[in-house]
Amino acid sequence: MAHKVANKRDKMESISIKNLHFGYDKKSMILNDISLSVREGEFVGILGANGSGKSTLIKNILGFLSPQKGQINILGKPIRDYDIKSLASLMGFVPQKSAINAPLLVRDFLLMGRYSGLGAFGDYGSGDRAEVESVARDLDIYEFLGRDVLSLSGGEFQRVLLGRALLKSPKILLLDEPTSALDMSYALELLRLCEGLLGRGIAIVAVLHDLHLAALFCTRLILLKDGAIYAQGSPKELFNPTILEAVYGLACKVVYDDGIPFVLPIKSLK
């Protein structure tokens, strides 16, 4: 009897990390023996206490930092085999905040997201400007195109940062604490927008502090402790008092609402 062929193809491995070690000097390693993978269509949360290595891990994936040991593959290819522009075209990045402090129209700021697609002597064309307007409509920031980025609220500017990242048409979206300065309504809105991208096959990796948001949006979590992976799994698997006490030093109880685990702190053990 012939084997039944699966209707859905296996999802591509967008990020693969094996035995990664990183430190700014040989005496103090920040990341220790990190191995993980992220597939297309996954929303993976990186969680852990302050100083556990979350943002450093993101910077290694982006290629901003180079590990002392181990390997990072992006879409099946070693990261070292990409040039800067090619790598930038594959990955969109939304930081916690931007260092911009000069007047710049939102339209021009968004156009920066098209830079990696320009040729050596290229300039932005009508197609680039049309893409800016399309993304701006999708993210409900079209009305901001003629405004100075410095005039935007925190939530508005985070949507603009997301728009700039999406204008690369990335295969991977990395977010480093994108909701830390936002109130709950803006934080929910931003992560809903990101969640809506999963159907396009984009892999999303987000450093998050808010456990509730992680439970609501992440399909899988990676918990870091002292620069190493303490546990990986779904929010239901990892949100239990024993694991959270070990990772955060937090006494808590976990309750469920509509099948989603929510963490209720009791007291800090530190």
Side-chain angles (χ1 to χ4, degrees):
M1 182 182 293
H3 292 290
K4 187 177 181 180
V5 178
N7 291 325
K8 294 184 179 179
R9 66 180 178 83
D10 291 335
K11 290 187 176 181
M12 178 184 292
E13 196 171 55
S14 300
I15 301 170
S16 174
I17 300 176
K18 295 182 180 179
N19 308 118
L20 183 145
H21 294 75
F22 174 82
Y24 289 101
D25 57 63
K26 295 181 179 179
K27 295 181 180 178
S28 56
M29 301 303 291
I30 297 174
L31 298 175
N32 297 285
D33 201 21
I34 299 289
S35 294
L36 62 88
S37 65
V38 181
R39 294 188 176 275
E40 61 180 3
E42 275 197 294
F43 196 140
V44 175
I46 310 264
L47 280 69
N50 290 336
S52 59
K54 302 183 297 296
S55 293
T56 302
L57 177 56
I58 290 290
K59 291 174 183 176
N60 272 264
I61 296 172
L62 285 163
F64 294 170
L65 300 173
S66 298
Q68 275 75 20
K69 183 181 177 182
Q71 182 165 317
I72 300 173
N73 284 0
I74 302 298
L75 300 178
K77 180 178 174 180
I79 194 171
R80 63 177 177 273
D81 291 349
Y82 289 97
D83 59 46
I84 293 174
K85 202 168 185 179
S86 297
L87 190 62
S89 70
L90 295 174
M91 295 194 285
F93 177 48
V94 180
Q96 180 180 351
K97 58 183 179 180
S98 172
I100 187 168
N101 55 17
L104 189 66
L105 292 182
V106 169
R107 185 187 304 275
D108 295 330
F109 184 82
L110 288 170
L111 268 173
M112 294 177 183
R114 303 291 291 175
Y115 176 76
S116 61
L118 295 179
F121 301 101
D123 194 6
Y124 301 114
S126 59
D128 297 307
R129 292 177 175 82
E131 282 298 315
V132 165
E133 294 190 0
S134 176
V135 168
R137 288 190 180 94
D138 289 344
L139 299 183
D140 197 23
I141 55 175
Y142 187 83
E143 63 184 287
F144 303 149
L145 290 179
R147 283 178 56 179
D148 184 337
V149 293
L150 299 178
S151 72
L152 302 178
S153 71
E156 292 165 348
F157 187 53
Q158 284 302 101
R159 275 187 284 160
V160 171
L161 286 172
L162 176 60
R164 184 181 64 173
L166 295 182
L167 279 160
K168 298 180 177 185
S169 299
K171 300 294 185 182
I172 299 166
L173 181 63
L174 301 168
L175 306 101
D176 190 4
E177 300 182 32
T179 63
S180 62
L182 303 183
D183 61 35
M184 183 56 72
S185 62
Y186 273 121
L188 285 167
E189 179 184 35
L190 184 73
L191 292 182
R192 284 192 190 108
L193 289 169
C194 294
E195 185 180 46
L197 302 171
L198 298 178
R200 304 183 192 178
I202 294 176
I204 300 176
V205 179
V207 170
L208 296 170
H209 275 302
D210 192 308
L211 300 180
H212 292 168
L213 292 175
L216 284 169
F217 291 99
C218 295
T219 53
R220 187 159 55 90
L221 302 176
I222 296 168
L223 299 184
L224 297 184
K225 181 180 180 182
D226 299 328
I229 294 178
Y230 183 84
Q232 300 186 52
S234 69
K236 287 183 180 180
E237 292 170 325
L238 300 189
F239 282 7
N240 73 60
T242 301
I243 290 176
L244 294 175
E245 181 179 324
V247 172
Y248 290 100
L250 181 72
C252 64
K253 62 180 179 179
V254 178
V255 299
Y256 281 79
D257 181 24
D258 197 24
I260 299 172
F262 290 94
V263 178
L264 302 179
I266 298 172
K267 63 180 180 180
S268 175
L269 298 181
K270 293 183 178 179

